[in-house]
Amino acid sequence: ILPFVSVNQILLLLLVLTVCAILYNKVHQVPSTLKNEVDLESPEEMEEEIPVVICAAAGRMGAAVAAISSIHSNTEASVLFYIVGLKTTIPHIRKWIENSKLKEIKFKVVEFNPMVLKGKIRQDASRPELLQPLNFVRFYLPLLIQKHEKVIYLDDDVIVQGDIQELYDTKLAPGHAAAFSDDCDLPSTHEMIRSVGMQNTYMGFLDYRKQAIRDLGISPSTCSFNPGVIVANMTEWKRQRITKQLEKWMQRNVEENLYSSTLGGGVATSPMLIVFHGKYSSINPMWHIRHLGWSPDARYSEQFLQEAKLLHWNGRYKPWDYPSVHTDLWENWFIPDPSGKFKLTRPDS
């Protein structure tokens, strides 16, 4: 009798445990519909890291270092830096990071193969620095960054004074593959634009004498945007084949000279203006205060710059060179090159 009773008791106990387990799962399980809603509404919350893409070009590596330093120092968020370089420059930037206080950052070094640009860039003697291969890295973000839904791209000549989490949280409208800063968004920059003759409309970037440009149906007075700071949605970028569209306009420019020699000189900007016209979201204006490198004389007020979240020295006059303006704000974040190869150019050097 005893063995028979003990077996029954064991079976009963197993049955009770099974029922308890089923009830527990039902109480604690998130309904599948709710899971889908969470995924759809805020994919960025599902990611642990904020991916930030910055290029490290020969002769400008100090710029990338200062940008990375400023981002890392001003956030508690987990940032993963994708540092993009050419085969010849990668060892230098890696040693710089690993032998400085930046050694604690999370980063991946990515090699960009300039062969993808073969036949797609028209030579332009007026601003040869704009033809450097790394200027076109932003066109190929999905090929370089595989696992992220949302990505931040930054030019190297920026410093970040705010928390990069804020920029990452920029909302992109449905169907938009990217967010940019509109060149007409801040009244405080309008005086600067007028004083040094900067371009802030499509007329300054595209040659409206060409039929292919007129056929776009875009008014030449349309406000341009600056692609030096991008918040991008990789799913939409791939779905809309943005990279292929950009390459198409690069090849057309090689054949028809649609924008290379126009006033803006934006060899990488112009195809983006065409492809993203009317199809981009806006970045908070204080997250892209630009034109600091346009003139060695024109200056913003110190109070305005202190309130800015991101400063961009777009233009010829870079803060690691001389002459340039507001260099003190940039040098706050610069970390000297342990190898001594990269040196700041200063009037007393």
Side-chain angles (χ1 to χ4, degrees):
I1 301 284
L2 281 176
F4 181 74
V5 172
S6 62
V7 168
N8 278 346
Q9 287 176 332
I10 290 169
L11 289 174
L12 183 62
L13 180 62
L14 288 173
L15 181 62
V16 170
L17 289 173
T18 303
V19 171
C20 288
I22 292 169
L23 289 172
Y24 179 86
N25 283 338
K26 282 193 176 294
V27 170
H28 290 83
Q29 192 177 46
V30 178
S32 59
T33 52
L34 182 58
K35 278 185 180 175
N36 290 338
E37 286 172 11
V38 171
D39 289 347
L40 288 171
E41 285 182 5
S42 51
E44 66 270 20
E45 290 177 13
M46 307 302 290
E47 299 194 21
E48 295 179 357
E49 298 167 327
I50 297 176
V52 176
V53 179
I54 295 180
C55 296
R60 305 171 57 117
M61 286 193 197
V65 166
I68 292 167
S69 170
S70 68
I71 294 165
H72 176 66
S73 301
N74 286 309
T75 188
E76 295 294 322
S78 175
V79 180
L80 175 58
F81 293 97
Y82 284 87
I83 302 169
V84 186
L86 302 179
K87 190 173 184 179
T88 53
T89 61
I90 282 174
H92 186 186
I93 192 69
R94 187 185 291 279
K95 285 181 182 175
W96 196 330
I97 290 170
E98 291 175 348
N99 292 283
S100 72
K101 64 182 182 180
L102 289 180
K103 62 189 175 193
E104 64 192 43
I105 70 169
K106 289 193 289 186
F107 73 101
K108 291 182 179 179
V109 175
V110 181
E111 181 183 341
F112 182 68
N113 185 352
M115 289 304 293
V116 301
L117 301 172
K118 189 174 182 181
K120 300 184 183 78
I121 300 178
R122 185 184 182 91
Q123 296 305 308
D124 187 357
S126 62
R127 296 276 311 268
E129 73 275 14
L130 295 175
L131 303 179
Q132 296 303 315
L134 295 181
N135 278 340
F136 300 92
V137 161
R138 71 197 91 187
F139 289 15
Y140 297 94
L141 292 176
L143 301 181
L144 298 166
I145 313 303
Q146 301 293 336
K147 65 173 185 172
H148 300 283
E149 166 74 9
K150 198 173 186 182
V151 172
I152 293 173
Y153 167 88
L154 299 176
D155 276 355
D156 60 0
D157 50 357
V158 308
I159 60 162
V160 173
Q161 301 185 135
D163 185 343
I164 197 75
Q165 181 76 54
E166 288 181 35
L167 181 59
Y168 186 72
D169 289 342
T170 298
K171 298 296 182 187
L172 273 66
H176 285 177
F180 305 100
S181 290
D182 196 278
D183 281 333
C184 307
D185 57 10
L186 267 184
S188 47
T189 64
H190 295 174
E191 185 178 339
M192 171 91 74
I193 287 169
R194 283 193 298 271
S195 67
V196 296
M198 283 179 288
Q199 303 301 317
N200 67 344
T201 65
Y202 273 56
M203 175 66 90
F205 293 90
L206 305 178
D207 189 347
Y208 276 83
R209 295 171 299 179
K210 301 294 171 67
Q211 188 62 44
I213 297 300
R214 294 199 300 272
D215 286 347
L216 290 169
I218 302 173
S219 168
S221 62
T222 301
C223 192
S224 54
F225 59 80
N226 186 301
V229 176
I230 308 172
V231 181
N233 179 311
M234 294 293 92
T235 301
E236 278 297 326
W237 194 291
K238 287 182 277 194
R239 188 183 69 80
Q240 297 178 35
R241 298 169 61 84
I242 296 294
T243 297
K244 288 292 182 188
Q245 291 188 58
L246 292 167
E247 287 184 326
K248 182 192 85 171
W249 284 102
M250 291 169 75
Q251 285 166 332
R252 288 199 68 174
N253 182 60
V254 170
E255 297 159 7
E256 304 173 50
N257 193 19
L258 302 176
Y259 53 75
S260 289
S261 57
T262 48
L263 294 172
V267 185
T269 298
S270 299
M272 298 197 90
L273 291 178
I274 295 171
V275 170
F276 284 101
H277 174 252
K279 294 188 293 186
Y280 65 91
S281 297
S282 295
I283 289 172
N284 179 333
M286 297 307 286
W287 267 102
H288 194 178
I289 301 304
R290 46 212 178 277
H291 313 315
L292 277 76
W294 203 269
S295 163
D297 305 309
R299 302 175 67 92
Y300 287 111
S301 75
E302 291 301 323
Q303 181 182 350
F304 177 66
L305 292 181
Q306 292 296 335
E307 294 170 357
K309 305 283 190 177
L310 181 148
L311 303 176
H312 187 184
W313 277 262
N314 58 311
R316 296 173 186 265
Y317 302 97
K318 304 301 186 185
W320 55 90
D321 280 335
Y322 181 83
S324 54
V325 295
H326 304 297
T327 53
D328 54 326
L329 292 172
W330 182 85
E331 273 194 63
N332 282 340
W333 307 108
F334 175 68
I335 298 170
D337 183 359
S339 73
K341 292 177 187 174
F342 182 95
K343 293 182 173 64
L344 301 182
T345 305
R346 294 295 179 254
D348 53 354
S349 62

